[in-house]
Amino acid sequence: MSGKPRSWLVLGAVVTGQLMVGVDATILALAVPGMAADLHLSSQAVAWVMAGYVLAAGSLMIAGGRVAQAAGYKRVMTLGLVTFGLASAVGGAADSAWVLIGARGAQGVGAAAMTPAAMARLSAAFPGEGRDRAYGIFGMIMGSGTAIGLLLGGMLTQLSGWRACMYVNVAFVAVALILSALAGDRVERSPGHGRGSWRGLLLAVGAALVIHALTVVASPGQATAFGVAGVLVLVGFAISDRRAVTPLIPTELFGDATRRVAYLGLFLWGVATIATFMAASSSLQQVHQLSPLATGVVFLIYPAAIQLGLFFSRRSGATPPARSIAAGLAVICTGQIVFAIAPTGLATVVITLGIMGLGTSQVMPNANSAMNRDAGPHAGVAGAVGTTLQQLGASVGLALPVTLTAMTAHAPGIAPGVTALALMIGSGLALRQTRSTTTPSSHAAAVRES
């Protein structure tokens, strides 16, 4: 099917769906002030509006891949798109915090079903001829997702209000469904692979309980109860998964030093990024009275800095992935320190976004390449684990300011300071692994792919 025009319809459907997923992770960052005022959201509710999506999407991604393989990739991708679209419509019409949070969680479930199925369809559609070109187009468009999300979020919020940022997903879904139906592709399913996917629910529930415990520290009894329950559920998941014939997360994935560094980098990047976007958006709109569109334009410093960092990486030559990830974490750490000093300053926000973009240019391409290197038959799972850790990190990062707010009035400055400390430790741990990673070629490949 690789030489037929319908293959490109598969690409169009996958790009549209995945662009929607990528955009949705950032589009609401600029809409939060208006959303919070309209629905009278507490800081805890705001955190869950963002964390509900990334937590559900991340923790269910691996199970979603197993279900997609068992039930059929096209069928599950369609189900994921429909779920995402319906959830977006409900979220756009929400009149209370709980309805909006529930809709965001449902969006995450849709993304968890759609993403692995979509990537499998893309791979099957281009098995040979045209594969490099197809993936090049996919990477170019997805690399613009952050900028598109920020600009689209700012424009829609300013022109139509925060609800438009939810409703726009319905248009994405409609286009993706039409292209998907016209593609006419078929990918063989493997019914036996769906066994054990229920364990993904344990991972999701356990992670949600722990994150919720972080947001209710003002009530020590509740925090302890939720925290202990979450840990017990996660332990149950680990035990049941380890004993399974086909575990959701094979332990051998963590035997490779470079992959461990990649996973650590993705988790810490998740902790720092979305939380910083949220805080910066609030500062620019509420303190400096910038419009949502103007705020989106300021945020373009971040993707511009990523491209600048990638440019210098190409010119500097090959570097071991673990060392590049360690350097990137150190750079992001610097950005968090700057942000901690004056979290409401305009210059501080601009400098922080630029520094974090430079750090991201070293962490993300290298981590995405390294986590799939030498994974053998577990290559698909290796990528899904990385995505899960990235999203779980984002959930922790979003919960951290809420946790600190219950303890001190200086939470806006302390939260990035705590994140900076974690990044500093992570950078040091990554550097310790550089002696056992001797494949600089993977860094060069990652830069070329970016």
Side-chain angles (χ1 to χ4, degrees):
M1 168 173 181
S2 61
K4 297 179 181 179
R6 286 186 174 182
S7 297
W8 298 99
L9 291 178
V10 174
L11 175 63
V14 171
V15 165
T16 303
Q18 289 305 107
L19 183 61
M20 175 184 68
V21 171
V23 164
D24 204 69
T26 56
I27 192 171
L28 284 186
L30 304 182
V32 163
M35 179 194 305
D38 187 19
L39 298 182
H40 307 289
L41 303 180
S42 65
S43 59
Q44 180 182 350
V46 169
W48 271 108
V49 167
M50 301 301 292
Y53 172 74
V54 296
L55 184 60
S59 58
L60 293 173
M61 191 74 68
I62 301 173
R66 293 280 286 272
V67 171
Q69 191 172 4
Y73 295 115
K74 185 173 182 177
R75 182 179 298 140
V76 174
M77 180 178 171
T78 299
L79 179 62
L81 283 168
V82 171
T83 301
F84 204 107
L86 290 175
S88 298
V90 171
D95 58 358
S96 68
W98 290 110
V99 173
L100 181 58
I101 292 170
R104 290 287 284 168
Q107 281 183 317
V109 173
M114 178 177 57
T115 296
M119 298 311 297
R121 283 185 71 188
L122 181 60
S123 179
F126 294 92
E129 181 184 354
R131 185 180 182 88
D132 291 342
R133 184 182 175 192
Y135 274 89
I137 294 172
F138 177 81
M140 179 181 66
I141 295 176
M142 293 308 297
S144 306
T146 300
I148 294 173
L150 294 170
L151 278 179
L152 188 60
M155 182 176 66
L156 290 175
T157 301
Q158 183 163 333
L159 296 178
S160 302
W162 68 267
R163 296 180 188 276
C165 294
M166 297 290 286
Y167 288 136
V168 72
N169 292 322
V170 178
F172 276 108
V173 167
V175 172
L177 286 174
I178 292 171
L179 292 174
S180 180
L182 293 175
D185 62 317
R186 285 186 174 85
V187 182
E188 293 297 326
R189 62 193 186 98
S190 305
H193 284 79
R195 296 169 185 165
S197 56
W198 59 269
R199 291 193 298 276
L201 293 175
L202 288 180
L203 176 61
V205 170
L209 288 171
V210 171
I211 297 300
H212 186 63
L214 294 175
T215 65
V216 294
V217 292
S219 302
Q222 288 188 42
T224 301
F226 281 111
V228 170
V231 170
L232 290 175
V233 173
L234 290 175
V235 169
F237 163 78
I239 293 174
S240 63
D241 201 51
R242 188 177 180 84
R243 292 177 176 175
V245 177
T246 55
L248 292 180
I249 305 178
T251 55
E252 52 263 40
L253 287 177
F254 299 92
D256 183 85
T258 303
R259 188 174 296 110
R260 289 198 301 269
V261 171
Y263 285 159
L264 176 64
L266 289 169
F267 178 81
L268 292 176
W269 180 88
V271 172
T273 306
I274 295 184
T276 300
F277 280 8
M278 292 279 291
S281 173
S282 177
S283 173
L284 292 174
Q285 293 186 65
Q286 295 183 344
V287 177
H288 299 285
Q289 299 299 306
L290 294 185
S291 68
L293 182 57
T295 300
V297 172
V298 171
F299 266 84
L300 291 181
I301 294 170
Y302 176 76
I306 292 177
Q307 295 305 314
L308 182 63
L310 290 172
F311 172 77
F312 284 118
S313 292
R314 295 187 186 99
R315 294 181 64 89
S316 64
T319 305
R323 186 177 300 168
S324 295
I325 293 171
L329 291 176
V331 172
I332 296 175
C333 170
T334 303
Q336 292 294 294
I337 292 173
V338 171
F339 198 49
I341 294 173
T344 59
L346 180 59
T348 302
V349 170
V350 171
I351 293 171
T352 298
L353 291 174
I355 294 175
M356 290 189 64
L358 291 174
T360 296
S361 73
Q362 300 305 303
V363 173
M364 294 304 286
N366 287 285
N368 285 326
S369 176
M371 69 182 178
N372 290 303
R373 182 177 64 89
D374 299 329
H378 301 305
V381 179
V385 170
T387 301
T388 295
L389 289 171
Q390 178 184 320
Q391 304 284 43
L392 292 179
S395 301
V396 172
L398 290 165
L400 182 60
V402 180
T403 302
L404 293 172
T405 298
M407 302 177 179
T408 174
H410 303 289
I414 295 177
V418 173
T419 303
L421 178 61
L423 288 161
M424 186 183 303
I425 295 172
S427 178
L429 292 174
L431 281 175
R432 290 185 60 185
Q433 300 292 341
T434 55
R435 293 180 181 178
S436 58
T437 55
T438 56
T439 56
S441 60
S442 59
H443 174 271
V447 171
R448 285 195 299 270
E449 290 171 4
S450 302

